[in-house]
Amino acid sequence: MKPAPFAYKKARSLDEAIALLGENPDARLLAGGQSLMATLNMRLSAPSLLIDINGIGGLGGIAHKSGAVEIGALARHTDAERSATIAQHAPLIARAMPFIGHPAIRNRGTLGGSIAFADPAAELPACLLALDGEVDAQGPKGKRTIKAGDYFKGLYETALGPQEILTAIRLPAASADTRVGFAELARRHGDYAIVGLAASARADGKGLKDVRLAYFGVGNTPLRAAGSEAALARGDIDGAVAALDLDPHDDIQATGAVKKHLAGVLLRRVAAQLMEQRP
Amino acid sequence: MKITADSPPVLSVLDRPNSYIGRAVPRPNLQRLTQGRGQYISDVTLPRMAHVAYLRSPHAHARIVSIATEAAKKAPGVVAVVTGTELAKVMTPWVGVLTHLKGIKSAPQYPIAVDRACWQGEAVCAVVARTRAQAEDACELIDIVYEELPAVTNPETALDPATPVIHASLGDNLCFERKLDVGEVDKAFANSDAVVEATFVTGRHTGVCTEPRAVVADWNEGEQRMTVYHATQAPHMMQNLFAKHLDLSESQVRVLTKDVGGSFGIKVHTYADEMATVALSKLLKRPVKFVADRIESFVTDIHARDHRIKGKIGVTRDGVITAFEIDDLTGIGPYSVYPRTSGIEANQVVNLTGGPYNCPNYRAQARVVFQNKNVMCQYRAVGHPIAVAVTEGLVELAAAKIGMDPLEIRRRNLFPDDGYPAQTASGLKLEQLSHHEALAHLDTMINYAALRAEQKALRDKGIYRGIGFASFIEVTNPSAAFYGVGGAKITSQDGATVKLDAQGAITIHSGVTEQGQGAEAVLAQCVASSFGVSMDRVRVVTGDTDNTPYGGGTWASRAAGIGGEAAWQAGKALRGNVLAVAGAMLQAKPEELDIRNGVVVDKTTGAERLGLDELARVAYFRPDTLPPGFQAELMVTRHYVPRGWPFAFTNGIQASYLEVDTDTGFVKLLRHWCVEDCGTIINPQLVNEQIRGGVVQGIGAALFEQCLYDERGQMLNGNMADYLVPMAVEMPDIDCGHVVSPTADSELGAKGAGEAGTAGAPACIMNAINDALRPLGAQPLTDMPFTPGKILRALGKV
Amino acid sequence: MSMDIDITLTVNGERVTERVEARKTLVDFVRDDLGLTGSHVGCEHGVCGACTMRVDGVIVRGCLMLAAQCDGATVETIEGLSDSGEVADLQAAFEQRNALQCGYCTPGMLTAAQELLQQAQARNAVPSRDEIREHISGNYCRCTGYHAIVDAVESVAKARAGAKS
């Protein structure tokens, strides 16, 4: 299938893009396009205008500053994959990256696009939540920062307003006591996972504290597993699995019951990763 | 004779001084494909060519109350909007039945639905426009009022009186039924020490050719001729069908295939939308192109293998199989597919179940019922993967029940290698197979004893690996018994025309077609060898009904065995004719000459006598110098059809080694092996790659692929993100080995090799998974594909 | 705002100026407007990889980019990679190893594999079979079962590493 007709405009600045969004309520932003283009090609979405933000300067880049890793909205997955900054200061992202799509997809797909699209089965939204990161957004009323916990609102629904553009993702930089874990179960490499888990914690003696578990593929948004976090902090892995209060729906790949079981398996595997001493 | 390494030459009686038989010669036509310079039908453009898009029924079953096309007709670029009723005036409907499948019935099918849509995806209106995008735009402007009808979507209840009948004129939803009862089945079960029953399910799946179906039809009103560029496996069959349903003579229809981006049996059928495209070209008097997009491919490319089989096996304590019994139920689409029918698959399941084993007692029932789902028909290894899954699944369950090694139970029951000709309980005639030699070869190849030891050691560490096997037989080189006797105009014979050109090079025109399997290489090898030139002096032309001998094309693993033999004979005949010319020129006896490496030589000494270029120069430009009355004949045609046996059966055995993650239900494939016997091996590399590709298609069926439908007949995963085809990471390396038992029916002795991999792999994977999980007391898994969820359920974890 | 866009780009070394529909994908553009039919359309939703080509030096899905986005870009298709000789050894290996059957996935497969080979060369390494499988995991081949493709890519990786050292 071919896309339904639309107009195309390459925005030269954020202000221009924001203004275009205002003038064209059913316009869509085009960043990496690796999810959007597929929906356009299948005529599942038929916007009147595509606003290409790829030419806007200053939205790329990955930097370590003031205790945080700031990832520009247009940084490509490949940029993150190869970034020494990510490897050193955002190890959870580094762990997640190889699971995302395939090389040609990662060459084009952007981290900002993934967070803005907020696919509940995608890796990066869960990582953002697990790391308690935040996103910068800019709209007609100016800039604001949204905490990950306030950002994911529903199925493909975020706190971004209709005229707001995600400009950057900010993650707390890892410190010596940071522990991260990541695992997912996808039937084929690079596919969306049946269920996945991104986790962060801080070492506390031989135990853990500030455990944050973010599941993906089990609900309308990435989901925290609060009860399990507390149990894991106590070192009680069985308790953590028992406390999983997920209620995933059946989908094409697995029933809710299977997903829930697999969520428990992942919890044990990720817990083991969190307990590992860093090299 | 075995090949243990991957592709070394296999010397045979067919060896001539410059023989290519048995050698891994690279295919001569590959460079254009690696350079992106192939020409697939989707690449074809013609002057004035328009594009068609089909509006398709969103309902599995619905009456078409009205179609409003005015708005679409006014849309930019639109050439025509055509309904089923309108197109029915151009093309007649068809009914997919064969007379040798007794009682099979179906309803007339139109190129575009008339009055009623019978599956989700059936075309209900056509839009022809300047571009495909414009045609799709206009489709959105067509307003169709449907009255939804109850959809028949459960094969188990399709024949219940309470279930609506899809085609009232047929009386019920039964398309075809076959029953067979051979020997003394009840007595044999009663006398068995163990009887095992299991219900097998083979998931409905489809071919997913990388190039979707494509056709460009060009009706020339001035010439009164239809040229169809068609990605098909069987151009002469399609020529007949296009002519028949457009009321033309066959001479008014030319079919060209060009390069075909994968077929696997998907592109050997009559598709309503392709027929409609041809009819639209006739109606509009201009070229019309249709390329199925991937989304419509999933709901229109034939599906296959949607079977539920209740199976039963009896064995004695010492492992002798006493009887097989099966009850097969398969839900096809709302129509039997034309012209090969949707009954052949179940018929093959009945024919092939128990096929490798010397067991005289066999009872089978197969019922084929109509469904409001996409049509089902023959896909690579038709029926084999189902029959092999049932047979081999039962054999390994029986072995487990009596505590016997799975290879040992096979040794005790496989037809003995020295016992041929033989006949299966179902009546299949077997010329010469090599089950035991193949098994012995596999045993060595996989280092079975060591593998078992490793498996045991790992089990003690909580790692669950499985070893599974599947013996199989495969139908190849079909004679007229397959379709011709049933009244279908599908030829089983094939021909090759071989010509010496004016510079002494060879051109072959063959009726078989190239789909990527390497048929053109095989033809070139045969002619180069039997005639006596090097491969680089041979060019092959296929896929053009105007320019090739009448032939069947490529299906049922026939191209090498049948097309190759015709080519071999044509090359030999041309050698005779050329030597006659040489004899005249050299005043020598032709029988004392030979052609080697493109040169006429003295047969005994090998001394060079005459170059073919010089011979051709004289024959074509100075025939006046040849003896009076001598006429050079430098173009020869030979045909071949198997007559000695209805089919040239092949055999083989596969093994799978895999690991099951018992926490997640995920399966990791570690290694796969296949030893097979396709008779004379013309090109070991091509045979091995057919096996490997086929194995992976079978693995897809075992682990990943399934067309999922809901109870309303909606396909739930009709895209490539949700329908999981095998990708590189999850696939294992695959080792191939061979035994060679040539068929005596042809001089070449070659049988087919295209479907053996697909036939055996699903059973093999199933048996390996069950072998892995047996120590954990898991319920045997028999419901494909084996998803993590099913494995976890078998383990009692969910 | 216009539904048609004027673009100027470099395709296989040639400067091209065309007016394209905004909705036209890159792969449809190179096939329909430029006649470069070596890039194939297999799914149009970014899964099969048959349309894999290079834009500004990296592989992309030709169906998941618009032609309109390629104004000013450098696009390389299999025709360009062939004519320049850049992948001649890889093509020869595919031919020798019969790492293609129908050939429909082959241009995309070669283009994807070449990226891995370049990356491997840059770090002076020969990729493992698993790494090869992973790098082509977004390229669907129905014919070969992948084994022969992995063999062919592996042989070129070794040959290139050997030639370099």
Side-chain angles (χ1 to χ4, degrees):
Chain A
M1 270 170 102
K2 311 298 177 192
F6 51 76
Y8 168 89
K9 179 76 181 154
K10 195 158 196 161
R12 297 292 161 191
S13 68
L14 271 175
D15 289 341
E16 185 189 358
I18 291 163
L20 283 166
L21 279 174
E23 292 154 20
N24 303 275
D26 69 341
R28 297 287 300 267
L29 294 177
L30 175 61
Q34 301 301 285
S35 298
L36 175 62
M37 280 297 303
T39 65
L40 295 177
N41 288 353
M42 290 194 258
R43 296 194 181 221
L44 297 173
S45 163
S48 63
L49 169 69
L50 280 198
I51 304 165
D52 185 350
I53 60 171
N54 284 284
I56 299 175
L59 289 186
I62 297 169
H64 178 222
K65 50 186 173 192
S66 341
V69 175
E70 193 172 296
I71 303 167
L74 289 179
R76 313 257 173 212
H77 288 105
T78 327
D79 299 333
E81 207 175 347
R82 295 186 192 142
S83 161
T85 306
I86 293 285
Q88 193 181 346
H89 302 294
L92 180 60
I93 302 293
R95 277 198 192 221
M97 209 49 68
F99 291 95
I100 303 173
H102 312 282
I105 301 285
R106 295 200 292 269
N107 280 339
R108 283 301 297 172
T110 63
L111 276 70
S114 175
I115 300 296
F117 188 56
D119 190 312
E123 291 84 357
L124 289 172
C127 291
L128 182 75
L129 189 62
L131 292 171
D132 198 17
E134 53 195 32
V135 305
D136 289 347
Q138 192 169 326
K141 293 177 190 159
K143 297 178 185 179
R144 67 174 176 136
T145 296
I146 309 162
K147 297 287 290 178
D150 303 324
Y151 176 80
F152 299 103
K153 294 293 187 191
L155 191 60
Y156 300 105
E157 226 182 286
T158 69
L160 292 172
Q163 265 184 273
E164 272 187 317
I165 298 175
L166 187 154
T167 57
I169 302 151
R170 202 169 310 101
L171 308 168
S175 52
D177 61 351
T178 298
R179 299 289 180 267
V180 296
F182 185 92
E184 68 170 50
L185 290 164
R187 287 171 69 192
R188 301 180 308 180
H189 177 81
D191 283 0
Y192 282 115
I194 296 174
V195 51
L197 173 58
S200 76
R202 285 169 60 206
D204 184 19
K206 286 193 172 178
L208 298 170
K209 61 182 178 183
D210 298 340
V211 179
R212 293 176 65 93
L213 302 173
Y215 277 96
F216 53 101
V218 293
N220 287 343
T221 63
L223 291 175
R224 292 276 299 279
S228 305
E229 290 172 356
L232 214 53
R234 293 193 303 270
D236 178 4
I237 294 178
D238 289 338
V241 173
L244 269 179
D245 54 355
L246 304 169
D247 187 19
H249 293 301
D250 296 355
D251 65 23
I252 283 169
Q253 302 300 349
T255 63
V258 168
K259 281 172 174 262
K260 183 146 190 196
H261 168 81
L262 294 176
V265 174
L266 289 184
L267 183 51
R268 292 178 192 280
R269 292 181 181 182
V270 166
Q273 292 176 19
L274 293 174
M275 311 284 192
E276 273 170 26
Q277 291 303 310
R278 286 176 84 173
Chain B
M1 185 192 299
K2 291 169 202 167
I3 309 171
T4 45
D6 206 77
S7 311
V10 186
L11 297 181
S12 78
V13 291
L14 303 164
D15 255 25
R16 295 190 1 98
N18 60 307
S19 177
Y20 291 95
I21 306 300
R23 287 180 166 77
V25 185
R27 287 157 58 196
N29 50 4
L30 283 187
Q31 288 185 1
R32 72 166 191 271
L33 300 180
T34 60
Q35 295 181 16
R37 301 300 296 270
Q39 195 179 34
Y40 299 88
I41 301 304
S42 44
D43 300 334
V44 170
T45 58
L46 297 174
R48 282 189 77 224
M49 186 178 84
H51 297 259
V52 61
Y54 293 100
L55 186 61
R56 298 183 179 279
S57 172
H59 304 295
H61 198 190
R63 195 168 73 82
I64 301 167
V65 179
S66 62
I67 305 181
T69 60
E70 293 71 24
K73 281 177 174 161
K74 290 179 198 147
V78 169
V79 174
V81 181
V82 183
T83 64
T85 309
E86 289 160 350
L87 206 61
K89 293 170 191 154
V90 182
M91 179 174 266
T92 56
W94 53 84
V95 182
V97 295
L98 288 165
T99 56
H100 67 314
L101 299 184
K102 274 201 194 91
I104 190 169
K105 61 185 192 274
S106 188
Q109 186 180 1
Y110 289 85
I112 296 178
V114 174
D115 297 336
R116 194 165 57 111
C118 290
W119 83 90
Q120 174 223 9
E122 184 175 9
V124 291
C125 193
V127 177
V128 182
R130 296 279 301 278
T131 69
R132 169 77 187 218
Q134 287 174 326
E136 290 179 13
D137 294 346
C139 280
E140 295 186 347
L141 302 174
I142 296 170
D143 188 14
I144 302 192
V145 177
Y146 292 99
E147 177 195 328
E148 215 177 326
L149 301 169
V152 180
T153 60
N154 182 356
E156 298 284 354
T157 57
L159 300 177
D160 291 356
T163 301
V165 174
I166 296 176
H167 302 293
S169 62
L170 301 181
D172 58 27
N173 288 323
L174 185 68
C175 170
F176 175 60
E177 182 173 33
R178 184 175 167 203
K179 286 182 176 162
L180 191 69
D181 198 341
V182 184
E184 295 180 288
V185 175
D186 291 326
K187 194 174 154 196
F189 281 128
N191 292 337
S192 299
D193 294 315
V195 173
V196 177
E197 292 183 69
T199 298
F200 298 85
V201 177
T202 50
R204 179 181 266 251
H205 53 279
T206 185
V208 199
C209 304
T210 47
E211 183 198 27
R213 292 184 293 108
V215 60
V216 180
D218 181 12
W219 171 252
N220 185 319
E221 181 74 10
E223 231 182 355
Q224 289 290 299
R225 203 146 193 263
M226 178 71 78
T227 303
V228 187
Y229 303 85
H230 192 195
T232 179
Q233 299 169 230
H236 283 100
M237 179 190 94
M238 292 313 302
Q239 177 192 37
N240 167 261
L241 297 175
F242 293 141
K244 181 176 174 184
H245 294 283
L246 287 170
D247 197 20
L248 301 171
S249 69
E250 286 186 23
S251 63
Q252 285 176 284
V253 178
R254 178 184 184 187
V255 178
L256 293 119
T257 62
K258 306 273 183 177
D259 290 313
V260 179
S263 53
F264 318 110
I266 298 300
K267 295 172 183 171
V268 75
H269 309 293
T270 302
Y271 286 94
D273 48 21
E274 294 174 9
M275 294 294 273
T277 305
V278 175
L280 286 166
S281 175
K282 178 102 184 335
L283 179 73
L284 301 172
K285 304 182 177 66
R286 65 189 287 177
V288 179
K289 180 175 190 171
F290 170 65
V291 180
D293 68 38
R294 186 58 65 189
I295 304 299
E296 63 190 339
S297 295
F298 272 111
V299 290
T300 56
D301 284 10
I302 58 119
H303 292 177
R305 322 241 214 268
D306 197 353
H307 290 241
R308 182 280 290 140
I309 314 97
K310 292 178 182 163
K312 189 171 169 184
I313 188 173
V315 281
T316 64
R317 205 168 290 111
D318 53 1
V320 174
I321 298 171
T322 55
F324 284 103
E325 181 172 5
I326 61 164
D327 174 4
D328 179 17
L329 175 67
T330 172
I332 57 168
Y335 299 100
S336 170
V337 174
Y338 186 63
R340 289 163 195 257
T341 83
S342 305
I344 290 283
E345 191 180 65
N347 199 51
Q348 288 291 63
V349 172
V350 172
N351 283 337
L352 294 164
T353 298
Y357 300 104
N358 193 2
C359 168
N361 305 306
Y362 176 42
R363 183 187 293 139
Q365 165 174 264
R367 284 167 299 153
V368 180
V369 298
F370 293 112
Q371 299 276 284
N372 290 114
K373 297 176 186 170
N374 184 19
V375 293
M376 284 222 315
C377 200
Q378 282 83 289
Y379 166 50
R380 193 177 197 175
V382 188
H384 293 67
I386 304 158
V388 177
V390 173
T391 307
E392 298 303 290
L394 288 171
V395 166
E396 292 212 358
L397 291 175
K401 183 104 181 239
I402 59 170
M404 184 172 281
D405 179 89
L407 284 184
E408 183 55 30
I409 194 171
R410 289 181 172 87
R411 282 191 201 98
R412 294 186 185 196
N413 293 280
L414 290 164
F415 278 107
D417 290 359
D418 59 1
Y420 295 95
Q423 185 166 320
T424 67
S426 67
L428 302 177
K429 293 177 170 61
L430 309 171
E431 181 191 0
Q432 176 64 52
L433 301 180
S434 59
H435 284 298
H436 291 268
E437 193 179 346
L439 187 148
H441 185 21
L442 183 86
D443 189 337
T444 311
M445 242 176 116
I446 71 174
N447 200 352
Y448 185 44
L451 214 54
R452 283 285 180 212
E454 178 178 281
Q455 177 189 39
K456 184 171 183 306
L458 288 169
R459 269 181 192 166
D460 296 340
K461 296 181 191 164
I463 294 168
Y464 289 88
R465 291 190 173 180
I467 305 165
F469 300 98
S471 289
F472 59 89
I473 58 172
E474 184 204 339
V475 171
T476 80
N477 294 6
S479 72
F482 214 151
Y483 293 112
V485 299
K489 298 241 169 102
I490 302 169
T491 184
S492 51
Q493 62 84 54
D494 225 296
T497 296
V498 178
K499 176 175 75 180
L500 187 78
D501 75 12
Q503 293 186 319
I506 296 286
T507 306
I508 308 168
H509 290 75
S510 170
V512 301
T513 53
E514 176 67 85
Q515 324 283 311
Q517 79 278 40
E520 293 186 356
V522 163
L523 295 168
Q525 285 178 267
C526 289
V527 172
S529 304
S530 67
F531 178 74
V533 289
S534 58
M535 289 276 290
D536 61 353
R537 299 293 282 163
V538 181
R539 204 170 69 81
V540 183
V541 177
T542 60
D544 179 355
T545 56
D546 264 10
N547 287 304
T548 59
Y550 201 89
T554 295
W555 45 273
S557 297
R558 69 183 296 282
I562 296 177
E565 176 71 9
W568 171 267
Q569 294 298 344
K572 250 174 67 170
L574 182 65
R575 171 160 48 109
N577 289 5
V578 165
L579 291 180
V581 178
M585 286 172 66
L586 299 168
Q587 296 179 333
K589 288 182 182 162
E591 57 273 22
E592 290 171 359
L593 301 171
D594 195 5
I595 307 171
R596 292 175 194 166
N597 265 323
V599 179
V600 177
V601 299
D602 186 283
K603 198 172 193 170
T604 40
T605 66
E608 295 194 1
R609 300 290 306 272
L610 182 64
L612 288 178
D613 50 348
E614 174 61 9
L615 182 143
R617 185 188 69 79
V618 170
Y620 287 122
F621 307 116
R622 294 303 306 276
D624 56 308
T625 64
L626 293 172
F630 182 87
Q631 176 59 52
E633 292 293 351
L634 300 183
M635 182 154 120
V636 170
T637 299
R638 286 293 179 271
H639 290 84
Y640 171 70
V641 65
R643 296 294 295 273
W645 304 86
F647 307 96
F649 276 94
T650 70
N651 68 279
I653 181 167
Q654 297 188 21
S656 164
Y657 189 44
L658 52 75
E659 185 172 313
V660 181
D661 180 334
T662 55
D663 291 329
T664 64
F666 275 59
V667 173
K668 182 171 173 53
L669 303 173
L670 301 169
R671 199 89 190 178
H672 201 101
W673 299 265
C674 178
V675 176
E676 64 80 63
D677 181 348
C678 62
T680 301
I681 295 173
I682 299 167
N683 186 324
Q685 185 183 55
L686 295 182
V687 168
N688 288 349
E689 295 317 318
Q690 282 299 299
I691 299 294
R692 291 194 170 105
V695 163
V696 166
Q697 253 172 325
I699 290 172
L703 294 180
F704 296 107
E705 299 182 47
Q706 187 170 21
C707 301
L708 297 166
Y709 275 87
D710 69 11
E711 69 283 356
R712 293 181 61 206
Q714 296 287 317
M715 188 171 169
L716 302 173
N717 60 338
N719 63 73
M720 288 194 71
D722 293 325
Y723 181 96
L724 306 182
V725 292
M727 301 298 273
V729 171
E730 290 73 28
M731 291 304 112
D733 280 347
I734 299 158
D735 297 308
C736 303
H738 305 274
V739 180
V740 177
S741 309
T743 171
D745 202 54
S746 66
E747 192 175 356
L748 206 49
K751 310 176 194 174
E755 301 170 284
T758 308
C764 200
I765 301 290
M766 173 177 72
N767 286 340
I769 291 172
N770 288 325
D771 183 59
L773 300 185
R774 195 162 286 123
L776 295 168
Q779 284 298 311
L781 283 137
T782 52
D783 178 4
M784 296 180 198
F786 303 114
T787 60
K790 288 179 189 173
I791 291 173
L792 289 171
R793 270 191 291 281
L795 288 165
K797 299 213 171 175
V798 292
Chain C
M1 236 157 299
S2 177
M3 314 294 272
D4 295 317
I5 307 293
D6 292 322
I7 54 172
T8 296
L9 63 162
T10 303
V11 180
N12 297 331
E14 288 174 32
R15 202 173 143 86
V16 172
T17 298
E18 292 282 336
R19 173 162 293 187
V20 296
E21 268 195 293
R23 63 166 150 174
K24 185 163 256 182
T25 59
L26 175 58
V27 66
D28 280 351
F29 169 69
V30 302
R31 287 174 54 80
D32 300 346
D33 296 44
L34 305 182
L36 295 166
T37 54
S39 300
H40 296 145
V41 174
C43 74
E44 298 177 295
H45 48 272
V47 184
C48 79
C51 60
T52 304
M53 60 182 85
R54 270 204 314 229
V55 174
D56 293 333
V58 299
I59 59 167
V60 302
R61 305 281 206 220
C63 71
L64 296 187
M65 271 192 87
L66 297 169
Q69 287 181 279
C70 294
D71 186 35
T74 297
V75 173
E76 292 161 285
T77 67
I78 187 64
E79 289 90 344
L81 296 180
S82 300
D83 291 351
S84 72
E86 182 188 325
V87 293
D89 55 349
L90 193 55
Q91 288 166 324
F94 269 58
E95 292 150 15
Q96 284 297 319
R97 184 58 190 84
N98 199 45
L100 65 153
Q101 291 180 27
C102 80
Y104 200 76
C105 76
T106 309
M109 195 67 82
L110 290 166
T111 309
Q114 170 66 358
E115 183 171 90
L116 173 69
L117 292 169
Q118 286 175 321
Q119 290 168 1
Q121 274 179 292
R123 55 172 213 271
N124 238 334
V126 173
S128 67
R129 290 180 76 82
D130 284 348
E131 285 172 309
I132 294 167
R133 285 184 181 275
E134 195 168 320
H135 198 88
I136 60 168
S137 65
N139 290 74
Y140 169 53
C141 170
R142 186 55 131 174
C143 297
T144 64
Y146 304 103
H147 181 131
I149 294 173
V150 177
D151 283 354
V153 175
E154 186 182 35
S155 73
V156 174
K158 285 178 177 167
R160 286 193 192 175
K164 207 175 164 188
S165 59

